[in-house]
Amino acid sequence: MCQLACDKHNRAIIQHALTKRLLLAVADSALATQAADKIFTPAGYRVTRVHSAPALRAALRDDKVPDLILIGNPLSGGNAFQMAANLKAKYPSLPLIMLGRKVSASDLERAKELGVIDYLRLPLNGKTALAAVRRGLEQKRLWEKWLKREAGRISAALNRRLGEMENILRQVNEGVLVVDKDQRIVSMNQALRETFELGEADLTGETVESVISNQGFLNALKEGGDRHEMQTQVGRSFHVRVSRIPKVGIVASLHDISYLKELDRLKGDFVNTVAHDLRSPLTAILGYVELIERIGPVNSQQEEFIKRVRSSVHNTTSLIDDLLKLGRVEAGGLDEVTPVDMKLLVANSLAGFQPQLQKKGQTLRLRKVEDLPPVRGSRTQLSQLVDNLIANAVKYTPPAGEIRVRLRREENQLILRVADSGPGIPLEEQSRIFEKFYRASNAPAGVHGSGLGLAIVKNIVDNHQGRIWVDSKPGEGAVFTVVLPVEKEK
Ligand code: ADP
């Protein structure tokens, strides 16, 4: 009866052991053979034998970590305790049993401190050895069970947190898109989907360009930074901010500024109307001022006053003209779009400024211009652009200074460069000079201006999908560079 029950019990143990792998590291090969062949293999364990510390390390290298390791002390080629400590640090749940011919009290103490299951005397006693192995494996099972439970608990908490974050992201009104370094979509929120009409499909892993066609947005994503604006097909305007987040990728957020744009438009309309209404009386004032001198002699003081009135009216008229021009270019559209020969345009503009250049004794250097393809755009606006840049160079450069103009092609872009030897622009103000009414702090006192010229230029450049920037060191002149796309060859 007992025989039957005991056999059944043994079979169960063997069955359990069959799946377990033991690594036996014992220097004495006779002892190792005895332990493997007489004790562990008959009990159903799969045993791998090694005889030195390097062989033990090699056996572990290819990710085949056994279920339990038995380490003999001493171990040739390495210190058994050090080996045990290293293994414990690397595989905390891996049970270790130490084996030795002599087991001193201090050895036992050290092994205990390392968390070793047992320290058995060689040659092994079968029963004791199997009991220690079973204890070790049971401890490992409990360890792993606990680890699994903990990992489950932590990942559930993380998932909950992730869910909350996604919820928040979904709820925010700003569109948010996260892409990886290869511009593949990592995540996006509902607001962004709505902005680009992307529906509900899962777009994770797709490239942005295959999903979003808005060029303004794609350029912003490529260039980075927080100074981009884009329009959607339905006429909404967005401010785009792009930042790199290490280990996450690139995050773009869209802030709807349509209402600000609308306000700006209304304000522009108002200014336009007022400017129009002011222009006629000013023309009348100027007309009457001209008449005063014609209808009779004026004394020198009256003559001086008339000069001042005329100059003030001129300044106000040119401010109003600038406001009206700005209103027109800010409307964004290009009324008459034609192929524009920029070479001709620059030549005409320079010819117009000859009298002023001569009066100030300034030298003009125009680099020989090769034949260039035309730019597609508004001739009126592009000629305003060139006029304003050259006018500034002439205006701010002192007498006898130098102005250099260069026009060239680079691939499918046309590059206009206007450089002068004037006072330059302080570095910290360079990004502001394209704002309306902004005048740099070093603008010479006697040089009048509305602060609108470069705002007009910037709008014109934007209307033609170009770029403009200034390079300058105060005291060393300024270099304005405009890049415009050339008309595509058919
Ligand atoms: P403004 O009517 O005052 O010339 P702009 O918008 O054309 O207005 O220029 C803005 C400011 O930028 C100017 O007031 C001036 O301070 C600076 N600026 C523009 N062009 C030059 C230049 N070529 N050299 C030095 N400063 C310049």
Side-chain angles (χ1 to χ4, degrees), residues 1-11:
M1 184 66 188
C2 162
Q3 187 56 43
L4 205 68
C6 290
D7 277 357
K8 213 172 157 193
H9 177 68
N10 283 346
R11 267 204 310 277

Side-chain angles (χ1 to χ4, degrees), residues 49-68:
R49 264 175 285 163
V50 292
H51 301 293
S52 65
L56 172 57
R57 273 194 289 271
L60 289 169
R61 203 162 287 156
D62 45 359
D63 250 21
K64 284 194 199 132
V65 182
D67 295 293
L68 185 143

Side-chain angles (χ1 to χ4, degrees), residues 21 34 135 197 205 217 270 301 309 370 377 421 437 458 475:
R21 291 189 313 110
Q34 179 256 340
R135 233 180 314 126
E197 298 175 5
F217 178 74
F270 170 75
Q301 202 176 19
V309 171
E370 57 215 89
S421 61
F437 301 110
K458 174 80 173 80

